[in-house]
Amino acid sequence: MARLRSKLEIEINRFRLDGEKNGKNRKISIKELAGMAGLAESTLYLRWTKPETFQEDEIANIAKLLQIDITTAAQWSQEFEPGESTPLTEPKYHSNRENRAISAEQTATGASYSSASAHIKLKPLTALLLVPIVLFLVFFLSSNSRQPTLKPPPTHSALYHGTAIDLNAEDVSQALNFHSKLYNYELKNLKTQTVGEDITLAGDIFWSHLKQEGEKHQQALFLASGKHVGDTVAIVYEITDEARSEMWIGTAVIHMPRSGPAEGYWLTLHNEEDPDAHGPYAIGSISLNR
């Protein structure tokens, strides 16, 4: 029997199949869709079958992709489209034998109910005693039949103390915590969307290791989200290289006015050793044209 699908699953699958909406100009795979939503592919399948397990941040990411508010996305995850598929609890058909069995059971239930009604009429005191029991059962069953709500996300707390200070340009140039130039990057088909002060970016990034592979570029997926306040954009990004099963993250601050080019800087951490420097940090500039 077909699985009952939520309205949220139906809408995000339409997004996946519409190349204009997803920004890829083609149908994207479930794996790509999961990456854009910040989920593992197996996790996405689990959420479809058990929507009560959706976390608040996962709903927020999907809401951004669909360009809807979080409340609507959460509501859609609990709503099921009529006629899309047959619920697991309702068989599509019954055999003649099953129909006869069901009919006999309904007849027996009706007869039992009639007998019980006659018994109650004969013994009104017994009926009064049964009323609170029936009310309790109705309340209990209705409580259990309510749709599950979203579980609250896990919480974590910490306490920090410290200082912050600007660095002079010469201090940065002499810092030993930075890598030397190891990679070259090129961004293509980068689609940005700003809703209020929230911004998302998605596109392709091509990278090459200058010392190991020369100018041979490798393709990866670039996803980012953050704030767009005035002409300033601050984002956290992730780059996913599916061919190598690698992912790395970083931050960037970009001057991005509503028209014209955008310029800024990014900062990340590299895990591999740098033969020409000692520190793990990598910093670089970013330049975008419309």
Side-chain angles (χ1 to χ4, degrees):
M1 291 176 287
R3 176 172 63 84
L4 190 64
R5 301 179 187 277
S6 70
K7 185 175 181 180
L8 184 64
E9 180 181 359
I10 294 169
E11 291 298 326
I12 196 122
N13 270 310
R14 290 173 181 166
F15 170 86
R16 182 175 69 87
L17 298 175
D18 191 329
E20 183 176 350
K21 287 185 178 180
N22 61 46
K24 297 291 186 178
N25 296 322
R26 59 174 174 82
K27 178 181 73 175
I28 60 176
S29 66
I30 294 293
K31 188 174 184 179
E32 287 179 290
L33 174 64
M36 294 174 70
L39 297 169
E41 185 177 1
S42 59
T43 302
L44 185 59
Y45 280 117
L46 173 63
R47 300 297 186 251
W48 294 147
T49 56
K50 297 182 178 180
E52 68 273 12
T53 64
F54 263 118
Q55 301 297 313
E56 187 173 341
D57 58 337
E58 297 168 349
I59 288 290
N61 290 341
I62 292 177
K64 284 186 178 180
L65 288 180
L66 296 181
Q67 300 180 29
I68 59 176
D69 58 78
I70 298 177
T71 303
T72 300
Q75 182 179 352
W76 284 2
S77 72
Q78 304 298 325
E79 293 180 357
F80 296 91
E81 288 290 320
E84 288 292 339
S85 60
T86 303
L88 295 178
T89 55
E90 296 180 8
K92 292 182 178 179
Y93 64 93
H94 294 289
S95 66
N96 290 334
R97 179 178 298 178
E98 289 172 327
N99 285 331
R100 289 196 298 269
I102 292 172
S103 177
E105 182 179 353
Q106 291 174 342
T107 301
T109 303
S112 176
Y113 178 80
S114 299
S115 176
S117 299
H119 185 68
I120 291 174
K121 289 178 180 178
L122 292 175
K123 296 186 177 181
L125 180 59
T126 304
L128 291 175
L129 293 176
L130 288 175
V131 167
I133 298 175
V134 172
L135 290 176
F136 172 79
L137 290 175
V138 170
F139 176 79
F140 178 79
L141 292 175
S142 63
S143 299
N144 287 341
S145 64
R146 292 174 185 170
Q147 292 183 344
T149 57
L150 292 175
K151 293 182 179 179
T155 59
H156 174 75
S157 60
L159 179 64
Y160 297 96
H161 300 282
T163 59
I165 188 171
D166 285 342
L167 294 178
N168 292 320
E170 59 269 21
D171 294 333
V172 175
S173 65
Q174 296 174 6
L176 297 179
N177 281 335
F178 286 102
H179 265 42
S180 59
K181 184 178 180 180
L182 292 183
Y183 294 95
N184 189 29
Y185 307 93
E186 183 179 0
L187 285 161
K188 290 186 177 181
N189 303 317
L190 185 64
K191 184 177 180 181
T192 69
Q193 180 170 358
T194 301
V195 180
E197 294 183 350
D198 296 323
I199 185 170
T200 58
L201 302 89
D204 298 315
I205 186 167
F206 296 82
W207 62 274
S208 61
H209 196 297
L210 299 179
K211 298 183 179 181
Q212 293 182 2
E213 301 181 8
E215 293 300 323
K216 183 179 179 181
H217 277 68
Q218 310 294 334
Q219 185 176 3
L221 178 64
F222 178 91
L223 296 174
S225 63
K227 292 294 182 181
H228 193 169
V229 180
D231 292 339
T232 302
V233 168
I235 57 172
V236 175
Y237 66 82
E238 64 180 44
I239 299 174
T240 305
D241 186 344
E242 295 183 354
R244 289 166 176 75
S245 299
E246 295 179 353
M247 184 180 76
W248 60 98
I249 61 174
T251 62
V253 176
I254 308 171
H255 178 251
M256 184 179 286
R258 305 297 170 168
S259 62
E263 303 282 344
Y265 294 91
W266 55 264
L267 177 68
T268 187
L269 281 164
H270 284 170
N271 295 324
E272 75 273 35
E273 295 183 2
D274 182 353
D276 299 328
H278 303 289
Y281 293 95
I283 191 172
S285 62
I286 183 170
S287 179
L288 302 173
N289 292 313
R290 295 180 185 271

